[in-house]
């Protein structure tokens, strides 16, 4: 696993956006051979999405032949609700990057049979040829997508009950009222993320410091589901200095040293 440490959120966001653009451009996607990208929501990727929009507008990348799969969606809030992940993605990325609507995949948390929706999502990923790069964030408890502590590290797309901790964390988007945060969500599984050819996680801010320590410096553990990435053949965490507050000095120095020449996003 690579750990890229940037000194600010702005630099982290640029780094990740440039990395994604390079990954897409190196692949040279066409209609018959699209690039398949997994995407998260949350505040962490917002800076990266802003940078991606700029890079599209500057003509550095095109999303015409990119297919996206989002990680998760709440159950029971309408698609047009301002805090649905459908709305989030439309507002923060999709409206600005010229991606064909039919290339966008987001779980439907309002469908009658949620289990069928989850199973079909896995099939759709398979039919698209699998995910090349899954971008993700983490919750303060180290969850990836909505794979809350205790989730199977082999889990697939399914319905999850959100923990009280996660609902409190996300209540900032729901008038700070935990009762307005949905109790259920549909989410890709840890296994679904692990199937991607490559996984890149954004870890930003002091609030994620404990999780980063657990994920990197301790063992693989279903209570910190993002720690599964230790077993991925090509995973990378891009964080800022604040997020390293609970890492050993030795780890920080080690990763800074081995990445010191990679000022531009290099793909190894
Ligand atoms: C939610 C999302 C996760 C995201 C997490 C952290 O739980 N399902 O995919 O990583 O929030 O969000 P933020 O980046 O706002 O801290």
């Amino acid at each position: 696993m690579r750990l890229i440490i940037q000194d600010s959120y702005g630099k982290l966001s640029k780094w990740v956006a440039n990395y994604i653009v390079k990954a897409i451009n190196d692949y040279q996607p066409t209609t018959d051979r699209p690039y398949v990208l997994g995407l998260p929501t949350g505040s962490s990727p917002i800076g990266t999405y802003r940078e991606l929009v700029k890079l599209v507008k500057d003509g550095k990348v095109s999303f015409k032949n990119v297919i996206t799969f989002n990680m998760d969606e709440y159950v029971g809030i309408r698609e047009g609700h301002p805090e649905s992940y459908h709305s989030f993605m439309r507002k923060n990325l999709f409206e600005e990057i010229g991606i064909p609507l039919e290339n966008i995949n987001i779980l439907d948390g309002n469908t009658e049979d949620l289990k069928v929706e989850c199973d079909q999502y896995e099939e759709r990923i398979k039919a698209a040829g699998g995910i090349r790069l899954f971008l993700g964030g983490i919750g303060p408890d180290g969850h990836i997508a909505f794979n809350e502590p205790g989730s199977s590290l082999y889990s697939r797309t399914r319905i999850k009950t959100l923990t009280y901790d996660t609902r409190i964390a996300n209540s900032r988007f729901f008038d700070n009222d935990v009762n307005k945060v949905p109790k259920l969500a549909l989410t890709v599984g840890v296994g679904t993320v692990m199937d991607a050819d490559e996984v890149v996680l954004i870890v930003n801010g002091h609030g994620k410091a404990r999780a980063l320590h657990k994920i990197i410096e301790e063992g693989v553990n279903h209570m910190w589901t993002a720690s599964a990435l230790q077993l991925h053949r090509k995973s990378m965490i891009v964080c800022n200095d604040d997020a390293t507050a609970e890492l050993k000095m030795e780890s920080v120095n080690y990763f800074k040293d081995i990445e010191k020449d990679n000022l531009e996003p290099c793909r190894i």
Side-chain angles (χ1 to χ4, degrees), residues 40-45 71-72 85 137-139 143-146 166 170 172-173 208:
T41 54
S43 48
S44 307
M71 287 191 141
D72 43 19
Y85 288 171
I138 57 166
H143 72 240
I144 181 163
F146 268 132
T166 294
N170 289 4
R172 68 192 195 277
F173 303 116
K208 304 285 170 68

Side-chain angles (χ1 to χ4, degrees), residues 96 145 164 171:
E96 310 273 354
Y164 189 56
S171 65

Side-chain angles (χ1 to χ4, degrees), residues 143-164:
H143 72 240
I144 181 163
F146 268 132
N147 293 288
E148 298 282 36
S151 293
S152 160
L153 301 184
Y154 285 110
S155 50
R156 311 302 311 183
T157 305
R158 66 209 186 292
I159 310 164
K160 272 307 275 182
T161 303
L162 302 184
T163 61
Y164 189 56

